[in-house]
Amino acid sequence: MESETQNPNPKASKVETKPKMDSKDQSFKLQANNVDVFYGDFQAIKNISLDILERSITAFIGPSGCGKSTFLRLFNRMNDYIDGFHMEGEISLDKQDIYDPSIKVEELRKTVGMVFQKPNPFPKSIYENVAYGLRIQGIKDEDFIEKRVVESLKQATLFSEIKDDLDKQALALSGGQQQRLCIARALAVKPSVLLMDEPTSALDPISSGKIEDLVHELKKNYTIVIVTHNMQQAGRVSDNTAFLYMGELIEYGDTQKIFTNPEKDRTQNYITGRFG
Amino acid sequence: MNKVNTSRFKDKAFRRLGMVVTVSCLLILAVFVGFVLYMGLDRLSWEFLMSLPSRFADQSGIYTAWIGSIWVLVLTTLISFPLGVGAGIYLEEYGKKNKLATFLEINIANLAGVPSIIYGLLGLEVFVRIMQMGNSILAGALTLALLILPIIIVSTRESLRAVPSSIRDASNALGASKWQTIWNQVLPASFGGILTGVILALSRAVGETAPLIVVGALAYVPFAPRGPLDEFTVLPIQIFNWVSRPQHEFVINAAAAIIVLLLITFVMNGIAVYLRNRWQSKMKW
C-alpha cells in the first residue's frame, strides 16, 4: 500500500480549469473485475467490471437498492462486517488485489478513506476527532498531530469557522460542519482515495454546495468516488458517471456524455426522471 | 368528533390509572421504610456500628456483619466485574452469530432466573468442599459472583448493542483494528450503561442471604475477618438471625441493621444513577 506517495499539495495552482478526462496521463487507481456480491442467497451486485481513474471524481447513480452503496463499500471492505456477505471477482487498488488474504484491512483503510451518509463525528472534541486516525496508528508526537489536524481542517474548508473552538464538542457543530469535520478526519490519515456515500443527503442546500465545492477542490490530490441520489449533483461534480440498476452496471462513461447523450434507454429514462 | 372524545377519555383514564399504581407502590415502600426507621432509628449509634455481636441485645452490634458485607462486596466486585464485562464484550463483539451463540444466549438469560439458593448449593459443593475453601469469605464471594454474572453479562451486552453502528463504522473506516474501535469508541460510549448494570447487580448481591447461609456464613462471629479465608457473617444474615429471636430487643436491633443495609443499597443505586447521568450527558448523539 503506497499511502505516502500521494502527498496532497495544498499550494497547487488556484486557477485550474476543469480538466478534461484524459486517460493518457492518468492511470487506473481502482479496478473491479467481474465482481459479484451476495448477501446470503440474494445477489446484490451482478458481474460488474469498471476502472476508476486516478485523481478523478466518479459518481455512482441509480435508484434505491440498486447496489451502488454496496459497490462503493467494496473498495474499503466495509461490507466485511455484514452477515452473509460473500464476494467473487477481483477488486484492486494500484493493481493490487485488496481481497487477497495477505492484505491487512486496517492498512487498506488508511489508503482508502470514507465519508458516510449521516455525519458521524465521535462524541469528542473537534481536535480529537481529526486526531483519532493518527492516534490509533500509535503516533505520539503532539506537534506533528496538531500540524496535521490544522492542515486537514483547512483542506476541508472548516478551519476558519472553528479555529478558536478546537476543544469544543464536535456534536455541537451544525450538520454541514459535522460532515466537513468527517471529511477532515478522513483526510488526516492521508488517504489517496476518498469514498463518499451520499455525503450531502442529510444536509441543506447551502451546506451541500460547500461540500460539492470541497469535493471539487480535493480532486487535485485524491481519487474520489461518490454515491449520490441527486442527479444534478452527479452532473455538477463528477468526471465520470456509472449508472447502476438492480445490481447491474448499465452504463459507465464521461459524465457529460451520460447526461446529454446516453447510449442506453434505461439511463436516459432514469436521468430524465421517468423512473427511479 | 365522538371518536376524538372517547380516545381523549381513554387517555385521561390511563393516565389516572398509572398515577394510582405508581403512588400506591411508593406508598407501600414509604410505609415500610417509615416503620423500620421508627423501630430502629433510636437504636442506631456509633456504638451499635462498632460493637461485636453479643447474647445481650443492648450490647450487641453489627461490626462483624458490616465488615463482612464489605469484604464480600469488594471480593465479589473484583471477581465478577472483569469476568462479566469480558464475557459480555466477547459474546457481543467477537462471538460468531451461530447456533452455539444463540444457545449460550438463552442459557445465560435463564441463569439469571435461577433461584439463588441453587447457586448456594453449587458454591457449597464446588468452592467449600471440592476446592476446600471452607466457610470463607472467598467461597461466599465466588458464589455471589456466579449469581450475578448472568445479570452483568446481559446488561453489558445490552449497553454495547446500544452504541450506534455509525460510530463503529467511522472508527473502522479510519483503519482502526477491532480492539481499537472497541476500546476507544464502543466502551467509552457504553461504559455508563455497563457500570449501572454492574452496580445494580452488586446491590442485589449485598442483600443476598440464602446462598451465603448454604455456603456456611455464620450468624455469630466473635471477630472481624482479617483476610479472604476467614469465617464471616454479613448484614442480611445478622438481621435474619435477630429477627428469628423471641426477645423484642433483638427485633429492634434487626430494624437498626436494616437501616444500615438499606443505606448501603441506596448509596450504591445512587452511584449507579449518578454514573449513568454523567456518562449519558457526555455521550449525546
Side-chain angles (χ1 to χ4, degrees):
Chain A
M1 237 33 60
E2 31 180 344
S3 56
E4 292 300 322
T5 55
Q6 295 278 324
N7 258 338
N9 178 8
K11 282 176 193 153
S13 63
K14 275 178 190 162
V15 274
E16 190 187 43
T17 49
K18 191 178 170 183
K20 284 259 159 62
M21 173 193 161
D22 189 350
S23 52
K24 274 163 203 151
D25 349 320
Q26 286 168 307
S27 62
F28 292 125
K29 186 76 183 171
L30 295 163
Q31 291 170 295
N33 282 321
N34 300 61
V35 172
D36 291 305
V37 171
F38 300 87
Y39 293 128
D41 294 332
F42 173 71
Q43 187 167 6
I45 298 288
K46 293 167 188 160
N47 194 23
I48 292 186
S49 301
L50 103 166
D51 299 330
I52 290 169
L53 281 175
E54 194 168 21
R55 292 174 218 229
S56 70
I57 301 177
T58 305
F60 293 169
I61 60 169
S64 298
C66 69
K68 55 193 191 301
S69 279
T70 295
F71 193 57
L72 182 78
R73 292 160 74 101
L74 287 174
F75 294 110
N76 67 343
R77 294 185 55 172
M78 285 299 275
N79 290 325
D80 292 16
Y81 301 110
I82 296 168
D83 281 339
F85 166 76
H86 168 69
M87 189 199 94
E88 278 164 23
E90 192 187 80
I91 302 258
S92 57
L93 167 72
D94 295 324
K95 313 272 185 288
Q96 196 180 7
D97 182 5
I98 60 169
Y99 282 82
D100 190 271
S102 69
I103 292 287
K104 284 205 181 95
V105 71
E106 291 86 4
E107 292 298 320
L108 168 72
R109 290 182 187 143
K110 285 171 198 162
T111 314
V112 184
M114 186 162 194
V115 177
F116 296 85
Q117 185 170 356
K118 220 181 107 205
N120 56 354
F122 301 125
K124 297 181 174 193
S125 70
I126 293 169
Y127 184 94
E128 283 306 320
N129 260 280
V130 185
Y132 182 74
L134 302 170
R135 295 208 192 280
I136 57 174
Q137 290 179 23
I139 295 169
K140 297 268 191 290
D141 183 349
E142 205 55 46
D143 292 339
F144 175 82
I145 291 178
E146 190 179 340
K147 229 181 87 200
R148 192 68 81 73
V149 167
V150 171
E151 182 188 316
S152 307
L153 285 169
K154 279 181 179 159
Q155 264 185 296
T157 64
L158 184 62
F159 188 71
S160 59
E161 291 164 50
I162 49 105
K163 61 175 181 288
D164 300 323
D165 302 319
L166 288 178
D167 293 327
K168 234 172 79 179
Q169 256 293 326
L171 296 163
L173 296 174
S174 74
Q177 289 175 323
Q178 285 189 14
Q179 194 63 301
R180 275 179 284 150
L181 176 65
C182 291
I183 294 173
R185 182 174 68 184
L187 295 180
V189 293
K190 302 250 176 200
S192 55
V193 179
L194 203 54
L195 308 175
M196 307 181 110
D197 190 355
E198 299 187 38
T200 63
S201 67
L203 304 180
D204 64 87
I206 292 172
S207 303
S208 301
K210 283 186 183 165
I211 303 260
E212 281 179 26
D213 292 345
L214 168 59
V215 168
H216 214 267
E217 192 64 25
L218 291 174
K219 191 180 87 165
K220 291 171 196 156
N221 301 304
Y222 300 89
T223 306
I224 294 171
V225 188
I226 183 167
V227 163
T228 177
H229 249 116
N230 181 332
M231 222 68 56
Q232 288 78 17
Q233 184 173 66
R236 278 193 301 266
V237 174
S238 68
D239 302 317
N240 294 300
T241 299
F243 173 55
L244 278 74
Y245 182 66
M246 304 268 283
E248 286 175 65
L249 179 65
I250 306 297
E251 194 165 348
Y252 176 47
D254 184 78
T255 298
Q256 294 297 327
K257 187 171 174 300
I258 292 255
F259 276 84
T260 52
N261 187 22
E263 277 171 21
K264 305 266 170 64
D265 289 347
R266 224 184 247 159
T267 316
Q268 173 85 39
N269 288 346
Y270 182 69
I271 284 165
T272 52
R274 246 170 274 170
F275 88 103
Chain B
M1 245 5 227
N2 217 355
K3 199 156 190 186
V4 174
N5 283 338
T6 335
S7 71
R8 213 178 257 173
F9 172 75
K10 277 185 187 163
D11 190 32
K12 253 186 187 164
F14 188 77
R15 201 190 304 180
R16 290 276 151 77
L17 182 75
M19 227 153 85
V20 169
V21 172
T22 314
V23 168
S24 43
C25 283
L26 287 175
L27 221 65
I28 293 169
L29 184 70
V31 168
F32 170 71
V33 172
F35 185 66
V36 169
L37 284 176
Y38 170 74
M39 288 262 294
L41 205 55
D42 284 345
R43 182 70 182 85
L44 214 53
S45 65
W46 184 246
E47 213 188 324
F48 180 69
L49 287 176
M50 299 309 288
S51 296
L52 298 175
S54 154
R55 61 200 168 92
F56 304 108
D58 56 341
Q59 292 175 17
S60 215
I62 54 168
Y63 184 63
T64 53
W66 71 258
I67 295 276
S69 270
I70 286 179
W71 263 104
V72 170
L73 186 65
V74 170
L75 277 181
T76 307
T77 312
L78 290 179
I79 298 161
S80 63
F81 182 77
L83 279 181
V85 174
I89 293 173
Y90 172 76
L91 288 172
E92 192 57 36
E93 303 285 338
Y94 288 93
K96 294 225 166 66
K97 308 274 177 277
N98 52 20
K99 283 202 175 127
L100 180 70
T102 322
F103 179 74
L104 277 177
E105 196 163 335
I106 293 170
N107 271 289
I108 289 170
N110 281 340
L111 279 178
V114 170
S116 58
I117 191 130
I118 310 286
Y119 283 98
L121 292 171
L122 179 73
L124 175 67
E125 195 55 38
V126 175
F127 301 127
V128 178
R129 294 196 181 137
I130 297 177
M131 296 172 83
Q132 298 190 333
M133 292 176 189
N135 308 337
S136 63
I137 295 179
L138 188 60
L142 282 166
T143 308
L144 286 182
L146 276 188
L147 175 73
I148 61 172
L149 261 182
I151 310 174
I152 296 181
I153 293 173
V154 169
S155 66
T156 299
R157 295 188 64 180
E158 303 265 305
S159 312
L160 293 175
R161 218 171 292 164
V163 177
S165 62
S166 62
I167 296 291
R168 296 167 200 266
D169 282 349
S171 178
N172 288 329
L174 286 167
S177 67
K178 190 156 192 161
W179 175 245
Q180 283 177 323
T181 297
I182 293 173
W183 181 252
N184 291 308
Q185 302 300 338
V186 178
L187 278 183
S190 58
F191 205 59
I194 293 176
L195 268 190
T196 309
V198 170
I199 293 172
L200 291 181
L202 284 172
S203 64
R204 179 181 165 192
V206 174
E208 275 299 338
T209 322
L212 291 181
I213 291 181
V214 180
V215 169
L218 306 168
Y220 177 75
V221 182
F223 54 86
R226 283 154 190 271
L229 290 171
D230 285 350
E231 293 183 331
F232 71 109
T233 189
V234 290
L235 274 170
I237 291 182
Q238 185 69 69
I239 293 165
F240 174 69
N241 175 268
W242 277 337
V243 168
S244 51
R245 298 222 193 166
Q247 299 96 320
H248 183 63
E249 289 79 7
F250 279 113
V251 178
I252 292 175
N253 278 357
I258 288 174
I259 296 173
V260 175
L261 184 58
L262 275 179
L263 225 66
I264 294 178
T265 37
F266 280 171
V267 166
M268 286 179 69
N269 286 335
I271 294 173
V273 171
Y274 169 75
L275 286 173
R276 187 173 48 206
N277 290 345
R278 220 188 78 137
W279 282 88
Q280 261 173 6
S281 63
K282 249 172 102 179
M283 302 288 161
K284 262 188 236 141
W285 284 286

